[in-house]
Amino acid sequence: MTYLFQIFNGIGIGMLYFLLAVGLSVIFGLLQFVNFAHGAFYLLGAYFTYDLVERGYSFWVAMPLAAIMVMALAALTEIVLLRRIYKLPHTFHILVTVGLALIIQEMTIIVWGPLGGNVPPPEGLNGVIIVGDFIYPEYRLFVIAFTAVLAVGLWWVLEGTRIGAIVRAGSESSENTALLGYNTLRINSAVFGLGAGLAGLAGALAAPIRGVEPFMGLEALGIAFVVVVIGGMGSYTGALLAGILVGVTQSVMASLWPEGARLMIYLGMALVIVAMPRGLLGRA
Amino acid sequence: MSIALQVENLNTFYGKSHILQGIGLEVREGEIVALLGRNGAGKSTTLKSVCGALRPAQGAIRFRGKDIAGWPAFRAAQEGLLLVPEDRGIFGLLTVEENLRISQRKGSPWSLKDIYRMFPRLEERRRNNGGQLSGGEQQMLSIARALLNHPRLLMLDEPVEGLAPVIVDEIVNQVLEIKQRGIPILIVEQNLAVCAKIADRNYIIELGKIAYHADAVTFANDDEARDRYLGVKAD
C-alpha cells in the first residue's frame, strides 16, 4: 500500500515535470533556443502564487494569475532581450539565460527573503480521501486530474488546430512560414510566453505540495532537461511519458533509498543517451 | 495593360558580393513573364529580393500602389505577393491538408474544394505528410498553398525542375489555368520549351543585370540571343 501511495505521488509530481518539460521542448523546437531560464519561470510562478495567497487571495485566483503574470513577463523578456540572440551560437544562449536565471533567483531572495515559505492547500481540497486503508491528500489528486486535462487540451491545440499547425510549421522552417504571410516574430514571442507560462503554472501548482524556496528553480531546470532528454527533444508524448517515469522513480526511491533518488534519475538519463540518443520517443 | 509589379534598380548583396546590380523589370496584369539566365546569374535572388525573403540594399519595388522594397516577407505575402520557392518550402511533418489549411486566407478566390478539383493528386494524398510526397506533388502543394493565400501576383522559382515530362505538362496546364483566372505570374525557368508555351514576355539576366528583354514571338525567333545569353544552340 505504501508503494501505491508513492506511485500516486510520483504521477502527480511527474505531471508537473511534464508541464515544465513540454514548455522547454516546444521553445527549443520553434526557436532552436536553449533556455536555461526556464526553471526561473517555474520559481516565479511559485512565488507569485505564494505572494498572492499571503495577501489574502484565494489559491483559485492566485494560481491562474501567477501563470499569466509569468507568461506576460516571459513574452516581454523575449521581445526586449532574447530575440536578439537567437542567431548567435548556443553558448551565447546559455550565457544570457543562465544570467537571466541568476538575476531572477537573486531578485526573489531580495523581495521575499532567503528562507522560503509554505502555501496551504486551497480551500475545499485541504482534506484527504480514504478508500479502504488507502489515504491520499485531495489536493494531490486534483493536481493529477487538472494536469491530465491540461495535457489533453494542449495536445489537441498542438495537433488538432490551425494554430498548432502553424507552430509546428514554424518549428520546421520559420522562413517558409513567413512566406505564407505569418509574422514569425510575433509567433515566437507568443510561444515563448506560453512555454514559460506552463513552467509558471507548474510552479504555482507545486507550491502547496513542496512550499517555495529560492533554489527550487535550479532544481526544476535540471529535472526539465532530464525529462526532455529521456523523452526525446520535441516529442510531446515523450515529455509526458518521461515526466511520469522520472516522477515515479523519484517518489518510489524516496521511500526505498532516499539518497539514491537523484542518482537513479541521472543514471537513467545517461543510459537513455547511450542506448537511444534521440530519447524514448524522439523524432528521427 | 496596367502594371502589376514594377521593379527598378534593384541591388542585393550576399555578404560582400554584389549579386543584383540594378535589376529593372515589370509584370503587367494578366501576363506571364519569364526570367531566364545561366546558373548563378541572379534569378532566384531577384525573386527573393522582390518578396522580402532577402533584403535588397537599394531599389524600388512597386506593387499595388506601394513601394514594398525592404518589407519583411510576411508583409509582402499578406499584400498578395507570393513566392513558390525553388525548394518548394513544404512542411514535411505536416499533412498535405495541414499544409493547405495554414495557407488559407480570407478572400482568396480559391477554396480548398477548388484546390482539390485542380490538383486531384493532393486530395488523394491529403492525409500523407508533406515529406512523403513526390517532387511533382510537392510542387503542386506549394502552388496550391499560394493560391489559397489570396495571391495577387505569383512568383514561381523553377517549378518543373527535375520533374518527369508527364508531370511537367500537368503543371504547365495548371499554371495556364491560374493565368486564366487573372493572376499575373513571374516565373524563373531554365526549360525553354516550357517558357515558349507559357511566357508572354522574357527577360534574361546576366551577372546581376537585365541583359535582354523581348516578347514571346521575338524571343522565339531570336536564335542569336538564346545562343549568346543562355548557351543554347538553336535547333
CSV table of all heavy atoms in Angstrom, one decimal, chain B residues 73-93:
chain,number,residue,atom,x,y,z
B,73,ALA,N,9.2,39.6,-45.4
B,73,ALA,CA,8.5,38.7,-46.3
B,73,ALA,C,7.0,38.4,-46.0
B,73,ALA,O,6.2,38.3,-46.8
B,73,ALA,CB,9.2,37.3,-46.3
B,74,PHE,N,6.7,38.4,-44.7
B,74,PHE,CA,5.3,38.1,-44.3
B,74,PHE,C,4.4,39.2,-44.7
B,74,PHE,O,3.2,39.0,-45.1
B,74,PHE,CB,5.2,37.8,-42.8
B,74,PHE,CG,5.2,39.0,-41.9
B,74,PHE,CD1,4.0,39.6,-41.5
B,74,PHE,CD2,6.4,39.5,-41.3
B,74,PHE,CE1,4.0,40.7,-40.7
B,74,PHE,CE2,6.4,40.6,-40.5
B,74,PHE,CZ,5.2,41.2,-40.2
B,75,ARG,N,4.9,40.5,-44.7
B,75,ARG,CA,4.0,41.6,-45.1
B,75,ARG,C,3.8,41.6,-46.6
B,75,ARG,O,2.7,41.9,-47.1
B,75,ARG,CB,4.6,42.9,-44.7
B,75,ARG,CG,4.3,43.2,-43.2
B,75,ARG,CD,4.7,44.6,-42.8
B,75,ARG,NE,3.9,45.6,-43.5
B,75,ARG,CZ,4.3,46.9,-43.6
B,75,ARG,NH1,5.4,47.3,-43.1
B,75,ARG,NH2,3.5,47.8,-44.2
B,76,ALA,N,4.8,41.3,-47.4
B,76,ALA,CA,4.7,41.2,-48.8
B,76,ALA,C,3.7,40.0,-49.1
B,76,ALA,O,2.8,40.2,-50.0
B,76,ALA,CB,6.0,40.9,-49.5
B,77,ALA,N,3.7,38.9,-48.4
B,77,ALA,CA,2.8,37.8,-48.6
B,77,ALA,C,1.4,38.3,-48.3
B,77,ALA,O,0.4,37.9,-49.0
B,77,ALA,CB,3.2,36.6,-47.8
B,78,GLN,N,1.2,39.0,-47.2
B,78,GLN,CA,-0.1,39.5,-46.8
B,78,GLN,C,-0.7,40.4,-47.9
B,78,GLN,O,-1.9,40.5,-48.1
B,78,GLN,CB,0.0,40.2,-45.5
B,78,GLN,CG,0.1,39.3,-44.3
B,78,GLN,CD,0.3,40.0,-43.0
B,78,GLN,OE1,0.4,41.2,-42.9
B,78,GLN,NE2,0.4,39.2,-41.9
B,79,GLU,N,0.2,41.1,-48.6
B,79,GLU,CA,-0.2,42.0,-49.7
B,79,GLU,C,-0.6,41.2,-50.9
B,79,GLU,O,-1.1,41.8,-51.8
B,79,GLU,CB,1.0,43.0,-49.9
B,79,GLU,CG,0.6,44.3,-50.6
B,79,GLU,CD,-0.3,45.2,-49.7
B,79,GLU,OE1,-0.1,45.2,-48.5
B,79,GLU,OE2,-1.2,45.8,-50.4
B,80,GLY,N,-0.2,40.0,-51.0
B,80,GLY,CA,-0.6,39.1,-52.1
B,80,GLY,C,0.5,38.8,-53.1
B,80,GLY,O,0.3,38.3,-54.1
B,81,LEU,N,1.8,39.1,-52.6
B,81,LEU,CA,2.9,38.8,-53.4
B,81,LEU,C,3.5,37.5,-52.9
B,81,LEU,O,4.1,37.4,-51.9
B,81,LEU,CB,4.0,39.9,-53.3
B,81,LEU,CG,5.2,39.9,-54.2
B,81,LEU,CD1,4.7,39.9,-55.7
B,81,LEU,CD2,6.0,41.1,-54.0
B,82,LEU,N,3.2,36.4,-53.6
B,82,LEU,CA,3.5,35.1,-53.1
B,82,LEU,C,4.6,34.4,-53.9
B,82,LEU,O,4.5,34.3,-55.1
B,82,LEU,CB,2.3,34.2,-53.0
B,82,LEU,CG,1.3,34.7,-51.9
B,82,LEU,CD1,0.0,34.2,-52.1
B,82,LEU,CD2,1.9,34.4,-50.5
B,83,LEU,N,5.6,33.9,-53.2
B,83,LEU,CA,6.7,33.2,-53.8
B,83,LEU,C,6.6,31.7,-53.5
B,83,LEU,O,6.3,31.2,-52.4
B,83,LEU,CB,8.1,33.6,-53.2
B,83,LEU,CG,9.3,32.8,-53.6
B,83,LEU,CD1,9.6,33.0,-55.1
B,83,LEU,CD2,10.5,33.2,-52.7
B,84,VAL,N,6.6,30.9,-54.6
B,84,VAL,CA,6.7,29.4,-54.5
B,84,VAL,C,8.2,29.1,-54.7
B,84,VAL,O,8.7,29.2,-55.8
B,84,VAL,CB,5.9,28.7,-55.6
B,84,VAL,CG1,6.1,27.2,-55.6
B,84,VAL,CG2,4.4,29.1,-55.4
B,85,PRO,N,8.9,28.9,-53.6
B,85,PRO,CA,10.4,28.8,-53.7
B,85,PRO,C,10.9,27.6,-54.4
B,85,PRO,O,10.2,26.6,-54.6
B,85,PRO,CB,10.8,28.8,-52.2
B,85,PRO,CG,9.7,28.2,-51.5
B,85,PRO,CD,8.4,28.6,-52.2
B,86,GLU,N,12.2,27.7,-54.8
B,86,GLU,CA,12.8,26.6,-55.6
B,86,GLU,C,12.8,25.3,-54.8
B,86,GLU,O,12.5,24.2,-55.4
B,86,GLU,CB,14.2,27.0,-55.9
B,86,GLU,CG,14.8,26.2,-57.0
B,86,GLU,CD,16.2,26.6,-57.4
B,86,GLU,OE1,16.7,27.6,-56.8
B,86,GLU,OE2,16.8,26.0,-58.3
B,87,ASP,N,13.0,25.3,-53.5
B,87,ASP,CA,13.0,24.1,-52.7
B,87,ASP,C,11.5,23.7,-52.3
B,87,ASP,O,11.3,22.8,-51.5
B,87,ASP,CB,13.9,24.2,-51.5
B,87,ASP,CG,13.3,25.2,-50.5
B,87,ASP,OD1,12.3,25.8,-50.7
B,87,ASP,OD2,14.0,25.4,-49.4
B,88,ARG,N,10.6,24.5,-52.8
B,88,ARG,CA,9.1,24.2,-52.6
B,88,ARG,C,8.6,24.6,-51.2
B,88,ARG,O,7.4,24.8,-51.0
B,88,ARG,CB,8.7,22.8,-52.9
B,88,ARG,CG,8.9,22.5,-54.4
B,88,ARG,CD,9.3,21.1,-54.7
B,88,ARG,NE,9.7,21.0,-56.1
B,88,ARG,CZ,10.4,20.0,-56.5
B,88,ARG,NH1,10.8,19.0,-55.7
B,88,ARG,NH2,10.8,19.9,-57.8
B,89,GLY,N,9.5,24.6,-50.2
B,89,GLY,CA,9.1,25.1,-48.9
B,89,GLY,C,7.9,24.3,-48.2
B,89,GLY,O,7.2,24.9,-47.4
B,90,ILE,N,7.8,23.0,-48.5
B,90,ILE,CA,6.8,22.2,-47.9
B,90,ILE,C,7.2,21.9,-46.4
B,90,ILE,O,8.3,21.7,-46.1
B,90,ILE,CB,6.7,20.9,-48.7
B,90,ILE,CG1,6.2,21.2,-50.1
B,90,ILE,CG2,5.7,19.9,-48.0
B,90,ILE,CD1,5.0,21.9,-50.3
B,91,PHE,N,6.2,21.9,-45.6
B,91,PHE,CA,6.4,21.4,-44.2
B,91,PHE,C,6.2,19.9,-44.2
B,91,PHE,O,5.1,19.4,-44.3
B,91,PHE,CB,5.4,22.1,-43.2
B,91,PHE,CG,5.6,23.6,-43.3
B,91,PHE,CD1,4.6,24.4,-43.8
B,91,PHE,CD2,6.7,24.2,-42.8
B,91,PHE,CE1,4.7,25.7,-43.9
B,91,PHE,CE2,6.9,25.6,-42.9
B,91,PHE,CZ,5.8,26.3,-43.4
B,92,GLY,N,7.4,19.2,-44.1
B,92,GLY,CA,7.4,17.8,-44.3
B,92,GLY,C,6.7,17.0,-43.2
B,92,GLY,O,6.2,15.9,-43.4
B,93,LEU,N,6.6,17.6,-42.0
B,93,LEU,CA,6.0,16.9,-40.9
B,93,LEU,C,4.5,17.2,-40.7
B,93,LEU,O,3.8,16.6,-39.9
B,93,LEU,CB,6.7,17.2,-39.6
B,93,LEU,CG,8.2,16.7,-39.5
B,93,LEU,CD1,8.9,17.2,-38.3
B,93,LEU,CD2,8.3,15.2,-39.6
